[in-house]
Every structure is written in C-alpha cells, then in structure tokens.
Amino acid sequence: MATPRKTRVAVLISGRGSNMVALIEAAKDPTYPAEIVLVLSNRPDAAGLARAAEAGIPARAIDHTTFTDRASFDSVLDAELRAADIDLVCLAGFMRIFTPSFVAGWAGRMLNIHPSLLPLFKGTRTHKQALDAGVRLHGCTVHFVVPELDAGPIVAQAAIPVRQGDDPDSLADRVIVQERRLYPAVLALVASGRARLEDGRVVIAESAPDGALLSL
Ligand code: GAR
C-alpha cells in the first residue's frame, strides 16, 4: 500500500526564523506527518531565508514594499502557495496583516504562533504588555488564523511563570524556548488530523498528548 502523502507546509517569516528552524528540524523525523517544502518572507533581508536555504528548502522573498496595496501582495503570495501545492501555511514571526479574502482562502489551513497567552496581549510588544498587566503566567499560543488579528481558535498554549526582576527580554528568552517546542508539536497534531477546525472551534483527538502542549 502506498504511504499517505505528508502534509505539504509553507512557512511564512519576516525575521530570524527560529520557529521556522524548529519546524524544519522536527520535520526531518521520517515519522513526522508534515514536510516543510517552501519558506517565504515579505522581507528580502529576513535572516531566516538563508537558514531555510541552508536546510535545502526553497526560500524566496516577496517584497511587500514593491506592491501598491495589500490585496495585490496577497494575491501573489496566494499564487506562490498554490503553485507549490501547499496544504497548510504556518506563520512564524510573519509580521503582516492579510486581507480577509486571503484568509478565507486558507481557512482551517493556516496556523500562527503568537508570543502571549491569547486572548491576552494581542498585537506587538507582548512581553511588555504582560509585565505592565502584572500577570504571573505568560507564554505562547498556536491558533488558526482568522481575519481578526490574533483572534483565531486556539489549538494549544505553553505557559511560563513571570519572575521577580523579569524584563521584556528575559520573558522573550523563556517564551521563545516554549514556542520552538510547542509549534512542532501542534503542527504534528494538525497535519495528522488529530487537531482540526470544526464549526469555528478546535477539536482535538483524545489520543493527543496533553503533556506536549502545556508546560510550566
Ligand atoms: C516569535 O516570538 C513569534 O511568536 C512572534 O515573532 C517571533 C518570531 O521569532 N510572532 C509575532 O509576534 C506574530 N504576531 P522567530 O523569527 O525567531 O521565529
């Protein structure tokens, strides 16, 4: 019997791409249900592009500054993803807002990682937001993407304690460790069909490991 086709994943980045590297590393395992087949950046200077190329993955920039509007950038991006026969898109530090029609075209097939325990602290400077709010737990979230920013159905979260003396950098350093662990675990769940979007809510199979997703 033919082995089932692995989920074909594109990772979208804007910067250093350390979550992207974590996904690439995880996907090297022959039993991993997804393969990273394409990396795209909206910024030609994103350091992650070179890291993807070193790993032998096609990596290209689509420079958003060369487009007159959001819709034309999104339509070129969409065409690239479809030409590469992508099943699932993973946003990994991709710092651009999409048009609702682009998001609709990838509904249930696009994930994002965000550096806070959503629905707290949407947008940018999440570690400063957490410190300003005085929370004692902080962390990261992987969610399906919907048109509203950082508002999509949550697949999984990882938490860290906020310590006396933490500043935004120290929080970022501890949260990113959890991000690099959480995202590959979530991609495996979604790619294998053990987590999916149903009527706007995430359904997770009972066989999915709790421990891999939440940590303190
Ligand atoms: C990560 O912390 C990710 O959660 C965040 O950008 C960083 C990218 O780091 N994403 C967002 O803030 C999206 N709104 P990386 O390039 O090393 O993966």
Side-chain angles (χ1 to χ4, degrees):
M1 210 173 75
T3 41
R5 173 181 123 137
K6 288 193 179 202
T7 299
R8 291 173 61 81
V9 173
V11 183
L12 270 49
I13 62 170
S14 299
R16 72 186 160 178
S18 75
N19 277 291
M20 172 207 75
V21 169
L23 296 174
I24 291 171
E25 288 298 316
K28 284 183 181 164
D29 182 336
T31 66
Y32 197 76
E35 54 182 337
I36 314 302
V37 297
L38 180 64
V39 171
L40 295 173
S41 170
N42 64 310
R43 297 182 54 118
D45 60 351
L49 284 173
R51 299 176 81 180
E54 275 164 31
I57 294 167
R60 285 191 287 285
I62 304 172
D63 184 351
H64 71 270
T65 63
T66 64
F67 293 84
T68 49
D69 58 32
R70 214 169 272 287
S72 48
F73 171 82
D74 283 4
S75 78
V76 169
L77 178 61
D78 190 70
E80 286 262 353
L81 295 170
R82 291 184 195 282
D85 200 14
I86 297 302
D87 300 311
L88 192 68
V89 177
C90 285
L91 308 183
F94 188 71
M95 306 306 272
R96 249 191 98 72
I97 294 169
F98 294 120
T99 52
S101 74
F102 177 88
V103 176
W106 293 93
R109 298 191 299 143
M110 183 154 59
L111 295 169
N112 179 45
I113 188 154
H114 181 77
S116 77
L117 293 174
L118 289 172
L120 293 173
F121 317 137
K122 295 174 179 174
T124 57
R125 308 183 76 198
T126 57
H127 309 304
K128 179 170 189 307
Q129 291 189 57
L131 289 168
D132 289 349
V135 292
R136 290 283 156 227
L137 281 177
H138 184 42
C140 54
T141 302
V142 178
H143 63 93
F144 284 103
V145 176
V146 297
E148 192 186 333
L149 186 69
D150 301 331
I154 292 170
V155 186
Q157 297 180 301
I160 60 150
V162 179
R163 296 184 187 138
Q164 289 299 320
D166 264 326
D167 61 20
D169 289 341
S170 65
L171 279 183
D173 287 347
R174 297 209 307 288
V175 169
I176 195 78
V177 172
Q178 296 304 319
E179 292 188 42
R180 294 173 192 149
R181 201 181 54 82
L182 187 70
Y183 213 174
V186 171
L187 175 57
L189 277 185
V190 174
S192 63
R194 286 176 294 157
R196 62 183 197 284
L197 200 56
E198 214 174 87
D199 298 331
R201 295 192 74 87
V202 176
V203 180
I204 298 189
E206 280 179 18
S207 60
D210 280 351
L213 302 179
L214 184 73
S215 69
L216 275 175

